[in-house]
């Protein structure tokens, strides 16, 4: 997540959509007054990345339709004094930045075909999580990655102004930043792209069973953006 007062944009960082590379690129555009949470947990951050303005108390703004898990997250963050963090949802940003800022700034994120994203997620998770299944079919059956849909929607309603597509990343990255008033977008790197074998189609990893599991699990994303296997 990046919130830039200088350029009046809010970037919602989704999972496995090149969002790490995007966050690194966007931080370089930010001023001292902008909000850039730590790129990753711990004290070690990528070279040149300077976290700033992400700590501080906030007042949770409860709603009758707020899921209990969201209330739990807010209370935990309030206790930790963590106001902003990298993979927070648009709803969480709005409650902490305030409606005036959130509604007045250009908000964007990126999404990816769920079947392709789960292949990428599998290779990323099995490289770093001790108990992650090492077989793709087992991973799909038993492992649930957080749905990106939850990050840019609230109770099914889209909260961002633009959803770029990973499949069209070069064009949509330029369009998103142009709409934020940035005519010369920074070049994207290849952060975290080394974990997945190159040259293979995501379709090669699926059986009819695992294909249908993903279709059911990420039905909201598929319906919203018209993705197909």
């Amino acid at each position: 997540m990046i919130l830039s007062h200088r350029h009046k944009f809010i970037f919602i960082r989704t999972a496995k959509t090149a969002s790490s590379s995007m966050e690194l690129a966007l931080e370089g555009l930010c001023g001292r007054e902008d909000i850039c949470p730590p790129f990753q947990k711990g004290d070690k951050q990528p070279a040149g990345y300077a976290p700033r303005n992400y700590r501080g108390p906030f007042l949770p703004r409860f709603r009758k339709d707020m899921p209990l898990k969201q209330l739990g997250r807010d209370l935990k963050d309030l206790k930790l004094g963590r106001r902003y963090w990298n993979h927070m949802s648009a709803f969480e940003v709005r409650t902490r930045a305030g409606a005036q800022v959130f509604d007045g700034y250009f908000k964007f994120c990126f999404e990816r075909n769920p079947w392709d994203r789960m292949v990428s997620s599998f290779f990323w998770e099995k490289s770093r999580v001790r108990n992650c299944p090492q077989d793709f079919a087992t991973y799909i059956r038993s492992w649930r990655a957080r749905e990106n849909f939850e990050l840019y929607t609230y109770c099914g309603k889209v909260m961002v102004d633009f959803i770029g597509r990973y499949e069209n990343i070069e064009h949509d990255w330029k369009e998103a930043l142009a709409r934020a008033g940035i005519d010369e977008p920074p070049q994207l790197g290849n952060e975290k792209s080394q974990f997945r074998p190159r040259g293979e189609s995501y379709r090669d990893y699926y059986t009819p069973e695992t294909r249908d599991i993903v279709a059911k699990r990420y039905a909201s994303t598929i319906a919203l953006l018209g993705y197909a296997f």
Side-chain angles (χ1 to χ4, degrees), residues 17-92:
T17 58
S19 60
S20 296
S21 297
M22 293 178 190
E23 191 167 74
L24 287 173
L26 292 171
E27 186 273 338
L29 299 173
C30 291
R32 295 177 61 184
E33 71 278 14
D34 294 340
I35 298 170
C36 301
F39 181 81
Q40 57 196 14
K41 293 181 180 180
D43 296 329
K44 188 176 181 180
Q45 303 298 317
Y49 187 92
R52 52 200 180 273
N53 306 321
Y54 64 93
R55 293 190 180 276
F58 67 96
L59 179 64
R61 299 178 184 178
F62 307 119
R63 288 172 40 167
K64 292 181 180 179
D65 59 351
M66 181 183 287
L68 288 177
K69 62 181 179 181
Q70 181 61 58
L71 176 59
R73 290 191 194 115
D74 282 355
L75 293 176
K76 178 181 178 180
D77 289 343
L78 182 62
K79 180 179 179 180
L80 293 174
R82 183 178 70 169
R83 186 166 186 167
Y84 298 96
W85 55 287
N86 55 3
H87 278 297
M88 64 192 303
S89 70
F91 175 79
E92 289 166 326

Side-chain angles (χ1 to χ4, degrees), residues 148-168:
N148 283 335
F149 185 82
E150 298 176 357
L151 295 173
Y152 55 82
T153 66
Y154 185 73
C155 293
K157 180 181 178 181
V158 175
M159 296 188 69
V160 296
D161 303 305
F162 179 79
I163 302 173
R165 296 183 184 240
Y166 177 86
E167 299 79 16
N168 199 28

Side-chain angles (χ1 to χ4, degrees), residues 190-209:
N190 295 307
E191 190 74 17
K192 299 182 181 178
S193 65
Q194 69 272 28
F195 297 96
R196 177 177 174 176
R198 295 182 179 274
E200 298 178 343
S201 169
Y202 66 85
R203 297 181 182 89
D204 297 337
Y205 291 89
Y206 285 92
T207 65
E209 177 204 3

Side-chain angles (χ1 to χ4, degrees), residues 132-145:
C132 178
Q134 298 297 294
D135 171 72
F136 182 70
T138 303
Y139 175 81
I140 293 298
R141 294 188 192 105
S142 62
W143 200 265
R144 180 178 290 273

